[in-house]
C-alpha cells in the first residue's frame, strides 16, 4: 500500500510539473495557434466517441450534459481518473484520487473550485471555469445526470470547502446514507496544495 501511494505521489508530482509548464506555455502561446494537448487513451474529449461505463461499478444513470467543446482536458489526468471507483481498489483510493485532482485544480487556479454544492464543484472541474481547463473528463461514468460526482455506490460525494485551499470530502459509504458510521473521508482540512 505504501509503495502504491509512493508511486501515485511520484506520478502526481511529475504531472504537477508538466501541468505547470503546460499552463505557462498556454499563457505565452500566440493566439493564432491554440495548443491542443494529446487526448488521454482511457477517456476521450467531448468530440470523440465514448466507451460504455463499467456497469459493475455504478448504477446506470444518464450522463451529465457535456460542456462546451472548447474545454481542454489536462494531459495525463484521464489515466489517474480511470482508477476512480475501480472495484479492484479500496474505496479510500477513490478519495485519494479526488483529493489529488482537487490539488491539481488548486495548482492551476490558486484555490478550490468555486461553490459549495457537488454540482458546482464538479462543473468547475469539468472545465466550467475561466481558463476552460478540465481535470475531469466529460465521459466519466461517476457523473450523474445532475452533473454530480458519485462514489462507487452511486451516491453524490459531499464536498465541504474549508478555505480557499482546503476541501473536506465525504462518501456516504455502502449504506448510501451520509452521517452514518460507514462514511468514508474527512471533513477536516485536507491538503492545502
Amino acid at each position: 500500500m505504501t509503495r502504491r501511494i509512493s508511486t501515485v505521489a511520484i506520478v502526481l508530482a511529475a504531472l504537477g510539473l508538466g501541468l505547470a509548464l503546460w499552463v505557462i506555455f498556454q499563457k505565452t502561446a500566440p493566439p493564432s495557434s491554440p495548443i491542443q494537448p494529446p487526448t488521454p487513451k482511457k477517456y476521450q474529449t467531448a468530440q470523440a466517441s465514448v466507451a460504455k461505463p463499467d456497469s459493475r461499478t455504478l448504477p446506470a444513470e444518464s450522463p451529465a450534459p457535456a460542456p462546451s467543446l472548447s474545454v481542454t482536458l489536462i494531459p495525463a489526468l484521464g489515466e489517474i481518473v480511470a482508477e476512480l471507483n475501480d472495484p479492484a481498489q479500496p474505496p479510500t483510493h477513490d478519495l485519494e484520487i479526488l483529493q489529488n485532482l482537487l490539488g491539481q485544480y488548486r495548482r492551476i487556479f490558486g484555490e478550490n473550485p468555486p461553490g459549495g454544492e457537488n454540482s458546482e464543484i464538479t462543473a468547475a472541474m469539468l472545465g466550467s471555469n475561466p481558463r476552460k481547463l478540465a481535470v475531469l473528463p466529460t465521459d466519466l461514468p461517476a457523473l450523474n445526470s445532475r452533473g454530480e460526482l458519485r462514489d462507487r455506490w452511486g451516491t453524490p460525494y459531499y464536498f465541504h470547502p474549508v478555505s480557499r485551499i482546503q476541501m473536506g470530502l465525504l462518501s456516504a459509504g455502502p449504506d448510501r446514507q451520509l452521517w452514518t458510521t460507514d462514511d468514508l473521508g474527512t471533513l477536516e482540512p485536507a491538503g492545502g496544495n
Side-chain angles (χ1 to χ4, degrees), residues 8 10 24 49 62 64 76 98 101 103 113 132 172 189:
V8 169
I10 291 169
I24 290 169
S49 63
S62 301
L98 291 176
L101 292 172
K132 300 292 185 208

Side-chain angles (χ1 to χ4, degrees), residues 14-166:
L15 284 172
L17 177 60
L19 177 63
L21 292 173
W22 183 76
V23 168
I24 290 169
F25 188 72
Q26 277 285 71
K27 288 181 180 178
T28 60
S32 62
S33 60
I35 298 170
Q36 293 298 323
T39 303
K41 293 177 184 170
K42 183 71 176 180
Y43 290 104
Q44 302 297 318
T45 58
Q47 299 99 326
S49 63
V50 178
K52 295 245 182 213
D54 185 326
S55 61
R56 297 172 298 155
T57 315
L58 290 173
E61 189 164 330
S62 301
S68 160
L69 294 178
S70 63
V71 170
T72 303
L73 178 63
I74 296 170
L77 290 183
E79 293 177 19
I80 294 170
V81 177
E83 292 185 16
L84 188 63
N85 296 335
D86 181 354
Q89 299 293 333
T92 53
H93 186 65
D94 301 337
L95 297 169
E96 292 169 5
I97 289 170
L98 291 176
Q99 285 293 356
N100 287 328
L101 292 172
L102 287 164
Q104 293 292 338
Y105 187 95
R106 284 189 292 269
R107 283 182 191 93
I108 297 168
F109 295 98
E111 62 186 358
N112 281 320
E117 298 295 322
N118 182 315
S119 59
E120 296 169 320
I121 292 167
T122 302
M125 293 173 72
L126 286 167
S128 182
N129 56 57
R131 294 188 188 167
K132 300 292 185 208
L133 293 175
V135 296
L136 290 174
T138 59
D139 60 348
L140 186 64
L143 294 173
N144 68 18
S145 60
R146 293 177 302 281
E148 297 171 316
L149 194 56
R150 301 179 295 159
D151 64 18
R152 63 179 57 206
W153 298 281
T155 307
Y157 282 100
Y158 176 78
F159 290 94
H160 177 69
V162 178
S163 71
R164 287 182 49 244
I165 59 170
Q166 295 175 320

Side-chain angles (χ1 to χ4, degrees), residues 171-189:
S171 163
D175 73 356
R176 299 179 178 166
Q177 298 292 318
L178 279 172
W179 319 118
T180 60
T181 57
D182 71 340
D183 292 358
L184 302 167
T186 180
L187 292 181
E188 299 298 316

